[in-house]
């Protein structure tokens, strides 16, 4: 099966999440890897047995290099379905690109990694271990996918980790974390003919909103070299029921992006302090319902990193990075598995993912494969002769 047929086949096995049933695609990866002589384990959490992961391994001992790609995709939204110009699960080729749901996110990186495993399998021996993790559940946060695998000790400590995502074939060394929170203001409702007898929760919330907006502008002063500044966005507001009553409740939901090294507990404390600093009496306000996902960052200073950057430069003839990666990835769940550097890397742009007519250019896909093969040749393959 050539490289294009392999990627077509992966696109032809739908794996939208939700529902997140990855059994068919995980089985396909496992079968292909076993056919070339790899050991392949298949694991799924009891809480979601259809979220099947495949971990394939070839070689033995140290060093250990991990290739990681997720096998679930986002679902096709109702508003998106009619915008597709091709069958999203056919893997159609058009104008030098391969189209399909999941084609770039994340099946092209997965296919390049499978090709790298196949190339490694053809060597007489490897100077270490190459591991492919085909992970479920990334599109819904990875709690029952990569995080579950890492927490249960199913992933060995690795000296270099490549997480496949869309970075324009450059080495990305950081992404932001996300914190969501809800702020609720409470007042007292009266008839709108005499609003001064009530306590308007929307007016109270407007002061909180101004304070959070000022906080967002202050955050611009904190700068991470590749992902930029933290942000605070107020994305949802909900309050009142009719124009002729003073509203007794108002809620906002905010999205606070955390740059690497910002600790969630410290960020929560900052948000609480801002809310408390606003004089709202007699209205009351509180913040809660915090949920967050971690940021990721890595150094890029090991020999593996240096070799990886030079492989990129040689193939794409451009600056190899480091760059930031704006969306999140499973790299955040692998920080304890990485005993060396870790990069997010793969073809194309995340802006093409999660949308109608998702595609990967064959040139970008080939470059991803070429970079991985070059890297293995210089790290895990024994010297020729
Ligand atoms: Zn992805």
């Amino acid at each position: 099966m050539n490289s294009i047929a392999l990627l077509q086949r992966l696109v032809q096995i739908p794996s939208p999440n939700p529902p997140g049933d990855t059994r068919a695609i995980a089985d396909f990866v496992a079968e292909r890897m076993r056919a070339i002589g790899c050991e392949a384990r298949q694991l799924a959490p009891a809480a979601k047995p259809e979220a099947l992961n495949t971990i394939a391994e070839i070689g033995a001992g140290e060093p250990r290099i991990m290739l990681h790609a997720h096998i679930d995709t986002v679902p096709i939204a109702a508003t998106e379905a009619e915008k597709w110009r091709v069958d999203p699960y056919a893997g159609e080729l058009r104008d030098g690109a391969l189209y399909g749901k999941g084609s770039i996110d994340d099946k092209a990186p997965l296919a390049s990694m499978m090709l790298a495993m196949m190339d490694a399998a053809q060597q007489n021996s490897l100077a270490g271990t190459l591991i492919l993790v085909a992970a479920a559940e990334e599109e819904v946060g990875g709690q029952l996918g990569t995080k579950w695998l890492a927490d249960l000790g199913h992933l060995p400590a690795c000296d270099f980790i490549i997480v496949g995502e869309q970075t324009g074939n450059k080495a990305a060394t950081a992404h932001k974390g996300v914190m969501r929170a809800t702020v609720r203001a409470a007042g007292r409702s009266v008839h709108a003919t005499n609003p001064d007898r009530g306590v308007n929760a929307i007016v109270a919330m407007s002061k909180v909103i101004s304070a959070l907006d000022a906080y967002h502008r202050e955050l611009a002063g904190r700068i991470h070299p590749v992902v930029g500044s933290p942000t605070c966005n107020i994305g949802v507001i909900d309050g009142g029921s009719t124009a002729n009553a003073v509203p007794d409740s108002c809620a906002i939901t905010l999205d606070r992006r955390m740059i690497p090294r910002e600790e969630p507990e410290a960020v929560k404390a900052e948000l609480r302090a801002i809310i408390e600093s606003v004089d709202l009496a007699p209205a009351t306000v509180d913040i809660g319902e915090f949920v967050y996902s971690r940021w990721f960052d890595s150094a890029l200073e090991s020999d593996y990193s240096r070799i990886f950057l030079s492989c990129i430069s040689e193939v794409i003839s451009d600056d190899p990075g480091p760059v930031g990666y704006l969306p999140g990835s499973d790299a955040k769940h692998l920080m304890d598995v990485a005993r060396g550097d870790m990069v997010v890397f793969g073809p194309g742009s995340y802006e093409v993912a999660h949308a109608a007519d998702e595609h990967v250019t064959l040139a970008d896909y080939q470059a991803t494969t070429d970079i991985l093969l070059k890297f293995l040749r210089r790290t895990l393959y024994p010297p020729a002769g």
Side-chain angles (χ1 to χ4, degrees):
M1 189 180 286
N2 70 25
S3 63
I4 293 172
L6 173 64
L7 179 52
Q8 280 177 317
R9 188 75 193 92
L10 290 169
V11 170
Q12 287 161 0
I13 305 172
S15 51
N17 193 3
D21 183 343
T22 51
R23 285 174 294 191
I25 189 163
D27 283 347
F28 175 78
V29 174
E31 277 161 28
R32 299 298 304 176
M33 292 297 100
R34 287 180 184 132
I36 57 167
C38 293
E39 288 199 20
R41 290 180 291 150
Q42 295 195 274
L43 300 154
K48 189 170 180 181
E50 68 274 28
L52 187 62
N53 304 273
T54 293
I55 304 172
E57 234 178 86
I58 190 157
E62 319 257 320
R64 289 196 176 84
I65 292 176
M66 180 187 289
L67 308 175
H68 177 293
H70 64 89
I71 52 177
D72 60 332
T73 73
V74 287
I76 297 176
T79 50
E80 175 195 331
E82 63 211 31
K83 295 186 187 139
W84 278 84
R85 292 176 303 152
V86 296
D87 175 348
Y89 293 119
E92 197 175 304
L93 292 171
R94 263 196 200 190
D95 306 324
L98 196 155
Y99 283 74
K101 179 53 76 184
S103 55
I104 200 161
D105 184 15
D106 202 26
K107 294 178 177 180
L110 173 66
S112 291
M113 290 172 176
M114 290 174 73
L115 292 164
M117 296 292 284
M118 293 174 198
D119 195 68
Q122 284 170 1
Q123 308 303 309
N124 287 329
S125 66
L126 289 185
T129 310
L130 183 63
I131 299 153
L132 173 69
V133 179
E137 293 288 287
E138 192 276 341
E139 294 292 3
V140 292
Q143 295 293 324
L144 289 176
T146 298
K147 184 169 191 317
W148 176 79
L149 288 171
D151 287 354
L152 269 75
H154 294 305
L155 304 177
C158 286
D159 301 279
F160 192 68
I161 300 178
I162 302 170
V163 176
E165 294 285 4
Q166 303 74 50
T167 66
N169 282 327
K170 296 188 175 204
T173 53
H175 63 63
K176 293 179 186 177
V178 188
M179 179 173 291
R180 298 260 162 83
T182 298
V183 184
R184 295 182 186 280
R188 190 173 64 250
S189 188
V190 294
H191 194 280
T193 50
N194 201 347
D196 293 343
R197 289 177 45 223
V199 178
N200 191 313
I202 292 178
V203 171
M205 186 62 86
S206 71
K207 296 177 191 167
V208 173
I209 291 171
S210 297
L212 288 170
D213 190 45
Y215 172 62
H216 165 70
R217 279 180 271 115
E218 264 170 52
L219 290 173
R222 296 180 201 170
I223 299 167
H224 180 278
V226 299
V227 297
S229 298
T231 54
C232 181
N233 179 62
I234 298 156
V236 180
I237 185 163
D238 182 31
S241 55
T242 173
N244 62 5
V246 171
D248 62 357
S249 68
C250 182
I252 57 171
T253 306
L254 60 91
D255 173 303
R256 168 71 164 79
R257 299 283 153 147
M258 299 175 285
I259 58 173
R261 307 297 144 200
E262 283 194 313
E263 288 306 328
E265 289 308 318
V267 171
K268 285 184 196 173
E270 277 180 12
L271 290 167
R272 284 201 184 94
I274 289 161
I275 308 288
E276 282 162 15
S277 72
V278 184
D279 180 13
L280 299 166
T284 57
V285 69
D286 69 8
I287 182 165
E289 296 160 63
F290 292 103
V291 283
Y292 66 89
S293 66
R294 290 171 71 178
W295 38 260
F296 141 74
D297 86 334
S298 172
L300 199 59
E301 55 199 20
S302 67
D303 285 344
Y304 294 111
S305 292
R306 274 189 284 279
I307 294 167
F308 193 66
L309 290 177
S310 55
C311 294
I312 292 177
S313 302
E314 288 163 32
V315 172
I316 70 170
S317 305
D318 194 2
D319 173 19
V323 296
Y325 178 64
L326 282 185
S329 80
D330 272 340
K332 62 181 175 278
H333 300 311
L334 293 168
M335 290 178 67
D336 294 334
V337 172
R339 63 180 170 202
D341 295 349
M342 170 160 53
V343 295
V344 179
F345 164 80
S349 164
Y350 62 86
E351 286 175 356
V352 178
H354 299 200
D357 288 340
E358 178 180 345
H359 61 279
V360 59
T361 72
L362 298 180
D364 285 349
Y365 169 40
Q366 185 65 49
T368 305
T369 308
D370 290 346
I371 290 163
L372 292 179
L373 294 185
K374 247 180 206 285
F375 176 70
L376 294 184
R377 217 166 285 141
R378 292 182 198 172
T379 52
L380 283 186
Y381 296 179

